[in-house]
């Protein structure tokens, strides 16, 4: 879990640069594609929330607009006492760093519970040191720079922003707008699949309990998760499962009609901006890599639950927004996570957030 995967990082970057895919015949994809309206909502609405609005979804000029909401909370923004140099400036978002020497002093003297949480002036905080990160280094490029792996770092909880991928009645399928954390698909280097992997257990245990209150967990709907084989290599992705928290599959981001319904470009031969995401500062502190490539700077890559060319590998979306079907090792320690959940909007306590647009 702690090994530094230089080989992977180079391979992932070169794969994206070369637009590697086992099938790039866009004309063949479009020939077989079902003809869809030029612009449409892909599902139901609920109050002010809508299923994705997509325009020209079969063309290279497609546009998607997602309704968004806040639900749950997670460690996000780091509290520091002075200058911050652990992450490249271009990889930071506004508000990621809270420079407050007095608050930092309070946190360093606070009492912390067994989960390394505390509360100061009604705000919840989490502390983390290098040994608790998935990977921690003082010299790994495009990774959080731990000057002292034994010193605690302090993070304020913030509401989790979600994109609405689908609404059916009062049920909403949600995808995180930023990657909140990082964790290997599997802790040990062996053949596995989504049903047996370490990540599934972690998401539906530690992550779920940390991100959501008991009342919020009661509003999360158990989802029937279909685990289809790798379309390019034929590798099995294991049996179907039922989960409260999960990650997306290849077909959900890269195949008509489901990917189109969720707002993604459904064909080959395109680095889709709709599949480009950035990680939070907390995720970077835990080990998530970010891209230095011009035009994609600050983006992270994210795992899918579809197996790669073997069951010891798993597919991912690179910083360009391109799918890498061959995959990376299941023990890859610096991929960010993009969790998905389904909630009952009539039972959940959620708050509307600004919508998100993606255009080619």
């Amino acid at each position: 879990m702690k090994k530094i995967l230089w080989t992977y990082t180079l391979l992932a970057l070169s794969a994206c640069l070369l637009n590697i895919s086992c099938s790039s015949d866009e004309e063949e994809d479009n020939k077989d594609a079902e003809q869809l309206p030029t612009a449409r909502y892909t599902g139901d609405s609920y109050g002010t929330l809508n299923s994705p609005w997509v325009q020209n979804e079969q063309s290279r000029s497609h546009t998607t607009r997602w309704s968004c909401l806040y639900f749950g909370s997670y460690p996000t923004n780091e509290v520091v006492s002075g200058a911050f140099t652990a992450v490249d400036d271009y990889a930071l978002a506004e508000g990621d760093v809270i420079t407050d020497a007095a608050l930092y002093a309070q946190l360093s003297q606070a009492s912390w519970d067994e989960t390394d949480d505390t509360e100061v002036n009604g705000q919840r905080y989490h502390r983390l040191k290098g040994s608790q990160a998935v990977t921690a280094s003082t010299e790994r490029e495009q990774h959080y720079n731990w000057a002292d792996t034994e010193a605690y770092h302090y993070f304020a909880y913030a509401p989790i922003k979600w994109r609405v991928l689908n609404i059916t009645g009062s049920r909403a399928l949600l995808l995180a707008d930023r990657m909140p954390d990082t964790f290997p698909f599997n802790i040990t280097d062996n053949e596995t699949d989504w049903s047996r992997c370490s990540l599934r257990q972690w998401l539906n245990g530690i992550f779920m309990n940390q991100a959501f209150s008991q009342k919020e967990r009661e509003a999360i709907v158990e989802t029937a998760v279909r685990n289809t084989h790798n379309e390019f290599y034929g590798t099995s992705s294991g049996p179907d499962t039922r989960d409260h928290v999960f990650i997306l599959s290849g077909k959900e981001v890269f195949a008509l009609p489901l990917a189109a319904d969720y707002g993604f470009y459904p064909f080959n031969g395109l680095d889709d901006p709709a599949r480009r995401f950035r990680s939070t500062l907390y995720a970077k502190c835990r080990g998530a890599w970010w891209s230095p490539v011009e035009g994609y700077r600050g983006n992270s890559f994210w795992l899918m639950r579809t197996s790669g060319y073997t069951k010891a590998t798993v597919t991912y979306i690179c910083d360009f927004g391109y799918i890498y079907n061959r995959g990376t090792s299941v023990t890859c320690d610096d991929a960010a996570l993009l969790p998905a959940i389904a909630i009952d909007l009539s039972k959940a306590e959620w708050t509307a957030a600004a919508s998100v647009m993606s255009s080619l």
Side-chain angles (χ1 to χ4, degrees):
M1 195 165 91
K2 296 292 182 180
K3 65 180 181 179
I4 300 177
L5 302 179
W6 289 105
T7 302
Y8 157 70
T9 304
L10 293 172
L11 180 59
L13 184 56
S14 61
C16 295
L17 289 169
L18 293 172
N19 283 340
I20 292 175
S21 177
C22 292
S23 171
S24 58
D25 189 350
E26 187 178 2
E27 292 184 0
E28 187 66 25
D29 282 328
N30 289 329
K31 182 181 70 175
D32 295 335
E34 175 187 355
Q35 294 301 309
L36 296 172
T38 300
R40 65 182 180 117
Y41 284 103
T42 63
D44 296 344
S45 297
Y46 186 93
T48 59
L49 300 175
N50 298 300
S51 293
W53 178 85
V54 293
Q55 184 177 42
N56 299 326
E57 61 193 279
Q58 295 186 22
S59 78
R60 289 177 174 269
S61 60
H62 83 119
T63 299
T64 300
R65 181 177 68 242
W66 292 275
S67 291
C68 295
L69 58 84
Y70 293 113
F71 179 73
S73 63
Y74 207 68
T76 304
N77 311 310
E78 183 168 2
V79 178
V80 299
S81 60
F84 180 81
T85 59
V87 172
D88 295 321
D89 288 344
Y90 65 79
L92 295 173
E94 184 177 356
D96 275 354
V97 180
I98 303 170
T99 305
D100 190 327
L103 175 58
Y104 184 90
Q106 278 185 285
L107 293 172
S108 65
Q109 298 298 319
S111 298
W112 299 81
D113 64 21
E114 66 279 1
T115 66
D116 283 315
D117 277 2
T118 194
E119 190 172 299
V120 174
N121 299 325
Q123 169 67 51
R124 188 180 173 198
Y125 296 90
H126 182 75
R127 67 178 183 177
L128 178 77
K129 58 183 177 180
S131 61
Q132 298 167 313
V134 174
T135 181
S137 175
T138 60
E139 57 184 15
R140 197 175 179 188
E141 293 185 357
Q142 284 79 59
H143 290 81
Y144 191 98
N145 182 15
W146 282 86
D148 181 356
T149 57
E150 292 305 313
Y152 278 111
H153 291 218
Y154 305 110
F155 292 85
Y157 276 77
I160 305 172
K161 184 175 180 178
W162 303 87
R163 300 183 187 186
V164 177
L165 295 189
N166 175 262
I167 297 176
T168 305
S170 64
R171 179 187 181 276
L173 177 64
L174 309 177
L175 182 69
D177 183 58
R178 289 181 75 187
M179 299 101 149
D181 209 333
T182 183
F183 196 83
F185 191 80
N186 206 53
I187 292 176
T188 57
D189 187 11
N190 56 268
E191 291 192 348
T192 189
D193 55 50
W194 171 250
S195 71
R196 299 176 292 150
C197 73
S198 308
L199 176 57
R200 180 182 177 228
Q201 182 178 10
W202 183 83
L203 282 173
N204 286 277
I206 293 174
F207 174 82
M208 185 172 177
N209 290 328
Q210 186 172 9
F212 308 108
S213 67
Q214 177 61 41
K215 188 173 183 180
E216 288 168 336
R217 293 195 293 272
E218 291 171 358
I220 298 176
V221 180
E222 187 178 65
T223 299
V225 176
R226 187 182 178 198
N227 297 303
T228 56
H229 63 274
N230 186 305
E231 288 290 319
F232 296 89
Y233 293 96
T235 316
S236 170
S237 297
D240 294 344
T241 58
R242 298 191 67 85
D243 298 299
H244 289 93
V245 188
F246 53 99
I247 55 177
L248 297 184
S249 68
K251 280 197 170 183
E252 289 169 319
V253 299
F254 206 66
L256 191 75
L258 199 54
D261 285 347
Y262 291 171
F264 302 112
Y265 182 76
F267 308 118
N268 293 325
L270 187 67
D271 302 331
D272 186 5
R275 294 194 291 259
R276 299 172 193 162
F277 288 82
R278 295 169 71 94
S279 55
T280 64
L281 182 51
Y282 179 74
K284 293 180 177 71
C285 190
R286 289 259 294 162
W289 171 88
W290 64 85
S291 175
V293 179
E294 191 67 34
Y296 313 99
R297 299 176 83 194
N299 293 350
S300 294
F301 69 102
W302 47 285
L303 299 178
M304 292 185 292
R305 67 176 190 269
T306 305
S307 296
Y309 78 107
T310 71
K311 295 195 71 171
T313 59
V314 62
T315 54
Y316 66 91
I317 303 292
C318 77
D319 52 328
F320 286 42
Y322 204 79
I323 189 170
Y324 191 52
N325 293 292
R326 184 176 175 83
T328 184
S329 169
V330 293
T331 58
C332 175
D333 64 359
D334 61 353
L337 298 176
L338 204 58
I341 58 173
I343 64 172
D344 186 334
L345 294 168
S346 68
K347 296 180 180 179
E349 293 184 354
W350 54 273
T351 304
S355 60
V356 172
M357 293 282 292
S358 174
S359 299
L360 285 173

